[in-house]
Amino acid sequence: EVQLVESGGGLVQPGRSLRLSCKVSGFNFGDYGMSWVRQAPGKGLEWVGFIRNKGYGETIGYAASVKDRFIISRDDSNNIAYLQMNSLKTEDTALYYCTRDHGWLLAYWGQGTLVTVSS
Amino acid sequence: EIVLTQSPGTLSLSPGERATLSCRASQSIISTYLAWYQQKPGQAPRLLIYDISTRATGIPDRFSGSGSGTDFTLTISRLEREDFAVYYCQQYGSSPRTFGQGTKLEIK
């Protein structure tokens, strides 16, 4: 069974950093790209970024709203994807989901981890 | 960036009725890269339909997708109580991948 479990969320002050993790199981992590999607409280879905697998050179892409502040990486030996969030703003407050990609499709989703940016 | 506009914002129907949800793109999407997701309160989104009309694994056949170019539709042929949720369309053919703002399907 495909499982994705996010962790690392919490309350953080504006300007600070936080690193989210997405631990996966039930599939060969190295074969798939991963993405992050967020959802502000009571709002819709916003794609944050992606990282492809080694076969595609671990290409990375970001939404304009997080580019130059967020960094996506992966650890294939431990089946974990990461989202390093720097220079956090109040508008980054959201539930952050990781997804397993099928091509460019967001095929499987974790349950999310909540990030609250507030002073 | 491709902007997706969903209508209506809220759809009030009764179990057993047919639901038709619309998703319009600001420009033609690449290939058939249009998906629909269902999200229930307190849950993560779930993939329903991809490539415009292909049902994801385990999705009942009362759900169907159609459309081309810039206009797409999700149809639920006969609503069951478990279908009342928020539905999002998403294009995944060009970067950034974008979502519609969602349609809330509520019980009348």
Side-chain angles (χ1 to χ4, degrees):
Chain A
E1 180 192 2
V2 173
Q3 288 198 321
L4 302 91
V5 179
E6 302 91 338
S7 61
L11 175 63
V12 61
Q13 292 179 326
R16 308 285 284 208
S17 298
L18 203 62
R19 188 177 80 161
L20 306 183
S21 300
C22 173
K23 173 75 172 172
V24 313
S25 59
F27 63 96
N28 188 356
F29 182 65
D31 286 345
Y32 293 91
M34 301 291 292
S35 292
W36 290 89
V37 176
R38 67 184 180 182
Q39 186 169 35
K43 302 296 185 183
L45 302 169
E46 180 188 15
W47 172 76
V48 172
F50 72 89
I51 182 167
R52 303 201 77 180
N53 64 356
K54 272 196 172 62
Y56 287 92
E58 292 192 5
T59 308
I60 299 173
Y62 300 98
S65 58
V66 307
K67 198 172 187 300
D68 300 327
R69 298 190 299 123
F70 289 12
I71 300 169
I72 296 174
S73 61
R74 60 189 297 153
D75 177 354
D76 286 5
S77 59
N78 289 300
N79 296 343
I80 302 176
Y82 295 103
L83 178 63
Q84 175 70 41
M85 304 186 294
N86 302 318
S87 303
L88 281 161
K89 305 176 181 181
T90 54
E91 53 263 41
D92 294 319
T93 293
L95 188 59
Y96 283 75
Y97 297 101
C98 67
T99 76
R100 189 196 91 174
D101 294 353
H102 181 76
W104 294 111
L105 178 66
L106 310 174
Y108 292 91
W109 297 59
Q111 286 303 305
T113 186
L114 182 62
V115 173
T116 303
V117 184
S118 174
S119 53
Chain B
E1 169 176 327
I2 296 178
V3 176
L4 299 178
T5 302
Q6 293 185 240
S7 60
T10 302
L11 186 57
S12 300
L13 293 170
S14 300
E17 290 192 295
R18 180 185 185 90
T20 303
L21 287 67
S22 175
C23 175
R24 177 163 288 176
S26 59
Q27 57 189 279
S28 287
I29 66 164
I30 290 175
S31 187
T32 59
Y33 296 151
L34 191 286
W36 291 90
Y37 299 86
Q38 177 194 64
Q39 187 177 34
K40 296 180 181 179
Q43 295 186 17
R46 175 175 72 144
L47 177 65
L48 288 178
I49 300 280
Y50 63 96
D51 289 353
I52 297 179
S53 60
T54 303
R55 280 187 300 276
T57 303
I59 301 303
D61 61 7
R62 64 180 181 275
F63 290 91
S64 63
S66 62
S68 64
T70 61
D71 288 298
F72 304 92
T73 301
L74 173 69
T75 302
I76 310 172
S77 59
R78 270 196 327 278
L79 286 166
E80 298 195 4
R81 287 199 161 267
E82 66 204 42
D83 299 336
F84 291 91
V86 179
Y87 292 84
Y88 295 94
C89 60
Q90 187 231 353
Q91 66 80 22
Y92 50 101
S94 60
S95 189
R97 289 178 257 182
T98 48
F99 293 90
Q101 82 280 17
T103 289
K104 182 180 181 181
L105 179 55
E106 64 177 25
I107 298 178
K108 189 174 182 180

